[in-house]
Amino acid sequence: MERIKNTDQINWYPGHMKKTREMIRENLKMVDAVVEVVDARIPMSSRNPIIDQIVGNKTRIMAFNKSDLADQRASDAWVTYYKSQGLYAAPMNAMTGGGINKFYSLLTVLQDKQNENRQRKKPLRLMVVGIPNVGKSSLINRLTGRKGAQTGDRPGVTRGKQWLSMENGMLLLDTPGILWPKFEDPKTGKYLAYCGSIKDQVVDIADLCHDLIALLSENYGHLLVERYKLDELGETPLETMESIGRKRGFLLSGGRIDYDRIARTVLDEFRSGTIGKITLERVPGGDR
């Protein structure tokens, strides 16, 4: 498989995504609210812009998944921002269950509001949407208390459509991850790749790591220094990358730097939160 040398060129739009978009539009009238799952580390780039077009004025809850890996201060700012846009927001970790109780409380409020003037009370019906690999299936499994949907570490592992019963009696409509034809901002593709929503096999991971180090150096340079026991950051991202390689002993024959090994390590440790709690995006107009 040929790798993308320039991460600005990252793009995707498999044929089944068009079908998924149409399916979401058709089933929207069957639900009371939409749960949009995003990665708390990239709350803007992990959103699909066409969801706004499809969902319209339907009640929406932003599920900030993997919030335990994100910078708390930045997450608070994002929650406030999305609330100002008329959207509900709920930080959580679908894998561990962190924040789920508050999420349930929010759903109960919405259900009570929906049933306020009804003689016959009905359970809240939800549709869960989100791009691949943001933890949508993990959230569904957490809410239903069973392995109701496939999960995996590969983007796009969820398939098909199914109704699932939640433990509190509410209903979930699962849908496959939905992407979009074109990234309006080249940074979006990079951010998704940093977090693993785009397969490493289709990008040059050394270039990707270089760009990630450049980004982390702006706001989280102290975490790089601490994690990799550096004396200081390099004057350039490449120098920092090479310093990490020397400190870790990632060398090839003749003392050459093993850039791919450095890249795999840094990317894995960023994604797992080993480097620290990091949010790559700031709210529009906010401080970097």
Side-chain angles (χ1 to χ4, degrees), residues 7-61:
T7 49
D8 288 343
Q9 298 173 355
I10 295 174
N11 211 338
W12 50 10
Y13 194 51
H16 72 275
M17 294 304 170
K18 181 176 184 293
K19 182 179 179 181
T20 302
R21 180 173 60 181
E22 293 170 352
M23 183 179 68
I24 290 176
R25 197 186 302 274
E26 291 171 2
N27 292 315
L28 190 62
K29 60 182 178 291
M30 301 168 61
V31 302
D32 305 302
V34 174
V35 177
E36 182 180 358
V37 186
V38 298
D39 188 320
R41 297 166 296 179
I42 48 173
M44 187 69 75
S45 289
S46 58
R47 295 190 66 202
N48 188 329
I50 69 172
I51 291 296
D52 284 335
Q53 303 169 17
I54 297 173
V55 174
N57 295 325
K58 184 77 69 171
T59 298
R60 188 150 20 138
I61 305 153

Side-chain angles (χ1 to χ4, degrees), residues 78-90:
W78 275 108
V79 168
T80 299
Y81 171 77
Y82 278 126
K83 284 183 177 179
S84 73
Q85 304 296 306
L87 307 178
Y88 295 94

Side-chain angles (χ1 to χ4, degrees), residues 171-191:
L171 296 174
L172 282 179
L173 177 62
D174 181 29
T175 59
I178 178 171
L179 304 177
W180 56 96
K182 179 182 178 182
F183 296 138
E184 296 299 330
D185 186 344
K187 289 182 180 179
T188 298
K190 286 187 179 181
Y191 287 152

Side-chain angles (χ1 to χ4, degrees), residues 6-285:
N6 182 354
T7 49
D8 288 343
Q9 298 173 355
I10 295 174
N11 211 338
W12 50 10
Y13 194 51
H16 72 275
M17 294 304 170
K18 181 176 184 293
K19 182 179 179 181
T20 302
R21 180 173 60 181
E22 293 170 352
M23 183 179 68
I24 290 176
R25 197 186 302 274
E26 291 171 2
N27 292 315
L28 190 62
K29 60 182 178 291
M30 301 168 61
V31 302
D32 305 302
V34 174
V35 177
E36 182 180 358
V37 186
V38 298
D39 188 320
R41 297 166 296 179
I42 48 173
M44 187 69 75
S45 289
S46 58
R47 295 190 66 202
N48 188 329
I50 69 172
I51 291 296
D52 284 335
Q53 303 169 17
I54 297 173
V55 174
N57 295 325
K58 184 77 69 171
T59 298
R60 188 150 20 138
I61 305 153
M62 304 294 294
F64 278 63
N65 194 33
K66 306 179 184 178
S67 60
D68 58 313
L69 301 178
D71 183 330
Q72 182 64 54
R73 184 177 176 182
S75 291
D76 291 343
W78 275 108
V79 168
T80 299
Y81 171 77
Y82 278 126
K83 284 183 177 179
S84 73
Q85 304 296 306
L87 307 178
Y88 295 94
M92 64 178 62
N93 183 317
M95 291 295 291
T96 65
I100 293 298
N101 288 338
K102 289 184 177 180
F103 182 63
Y104 270 126
S105 297
L106 174 57
L107 295 182
T108 299
V109 170
L110 293 177
Q111 181 173 261
D112 291 344
K113 183 178 180 180
Q114 169 189 281
N115 287 322
E116 192 171 10
N117 297 316
R118 289 178 176 173
Q119 287 188 328
R120 182 181 178 184
K121 308 303 181 185
K122 294 183 179 180
L124 195 68
R125 297 169 300 175
L126 304 166
M127 181 164 64
V128 182
V129 300
I131 68 171
N133 217 36
V134 292
K136 186 165 66 73
S137 295
S138 296
L139 175 59
I140 291 171
N141 290 343
R142 173 65 56 179
L143 297 176
T144 58
R146 62 187 176 88
K147 291 294 183 182
Q150 290 179 296
T151 61
D153 60 1
R154 300 183 313 279
V157 73
T158 308
R159 294 289 183 268
K161 178 189 69 172
Q162 52 187 331
W163 279 103
L164 301 170
S165 296
M166 292 169 55
E167 292 182 314
N168 64 356
M170 296 178 185
L171 296 174
L172 282 179
L173 177 62
D174 181 29
T175 59
I178 178 171
L179 304 177
W180 56 96
K182 179 182 178 182
F183 296 138
E184 296 299 330
D185 186 344
K187 289 182 180 179
T188 298
K190 286 187 179 181
Y191 287 152
L192 290 166
Y194 296 148
C195 294
S197 289
I198 295 176
K199 296 179 181 180
D200 287 339
Q201 292 91 327
V202 301
V203 300
D204 188 306
I205 61 170
D207 285 350
L208 189 66
C209 176
H210 173 277
D211 293 345
L212 176 60
I213 287 175
L215 184 59
L216 295 182
S217 296
E218 294 179 20
N219 298 300
Y220 300 102
H222 63 288
L223 295 181
L224 289 174
V225 170
E226 181 179 348
R227 174 60 189 167
Y228 299 108
K229 297 179 171 58
L230 306 177
D231 296 327
E232 60 183 0
L233 293 176
E235 292 187 7
T236 66
L238 180 59
E239 289 183 8
T240 299
M241 193 172 178
E242 292 175 342
S243 294
I244 292 172
R246 295 190 186 94
K247 282 288 185 179
R248 288 293 181 92
F250 295 162
L251 303 174
L252 300 169
S253 59
R256 292 176 295 120
I257 301 291
D258 189 340
Y259 293 102
D260 277 0
R261 190 175 178 189
I262 297 168
R264 285 192 295 270
T265 298
V266 172
L267 288 169
D268 286 347
E269 294 190 348
F270 161 71
R271 292 166 183 169
S272 67
T274 304
I275 294 176
K277 297 182 182 298
I278 295 169
T279 300
L280 299 181
E281 295 179 312
R282 297 294 188 269
V283 297

